[in-house]
Every structure is written in structure tokens, then in C-alpha cells.
Amino acid sequence: MPNPKRKTSKTRRDKRRTHYKATAKQLAVCPTTGENHLPHRAYWHEGKLYYNGRVVMEKEVLA
């Protein structure tokens, strides 16, 4: 297997890694509840599951 002939310096290594950046998550705002959520995903709010501004499911209360 090929091996590097010389040790890669910290500067060269860091220059190569400049393009690997952390990005903030893109959040959407629900028109019904005003909650922030990930786009194209269902989310819970006050015991109800919302998707695309509509209630999809309500949480059951076990008695």
C-alpha cells in the first residue's frame, strides 16, 4: 500500500479542511401554530402531531 513520503504539516492539513464547515439547520415556521420545525417533517406541539399545517395525529391519553 502506498504511504506518504513526508509528514503532512498542520498548515497544509488545515488548508485542506477549510471547506468542511458546520451549517445551521434550516427551520420552517408552521402557519397554523407558529412553531419552528425542520421542513418536510412532522412535529409534536401540545399533544398533537402536525404536518404541512394540519393535525395528523392526536396523542392518546392512557387511562
Side-chain angles (χ1 to χ4, degrees):
M1 285 192 48
N3 290 317
K5 201 157 205 152
R6 300 240 180 257
K7 178 179 178 179
T8 305
S9 70
K10 294 173 198 154
T11 306
R12 186 173 284 274
R13 176 199 66 199
D14 293 344
K15 278 191 213 172
R16 184 180 69 244
R17 292 180 181 173
T18 58
H19 303 290
Y20 300 124
K21 297 184 177 92
T23 56
K25 301 243 180 189
Q26 298 294 320
L27 296 177
V29 179
C30 178
T32 309
T33 61
E35 283 285 311
N36 289 328
H37 62 92
L38 291 173
H40 306 288
R41 283 167 179 78
Y43 64 96
W44 288 98
H45 178 68
E46 296 179 355
K48 296 178 182 174
L49 185 68
Y50 286 89
Y51 182 75
N52 203 15
R54 296 190 200 105
V55 176
V56 179
M57 187 186 318
E58 292 196 25
K59 198 171 200 178
E60 289 183 13
V61 179
L62 299 175

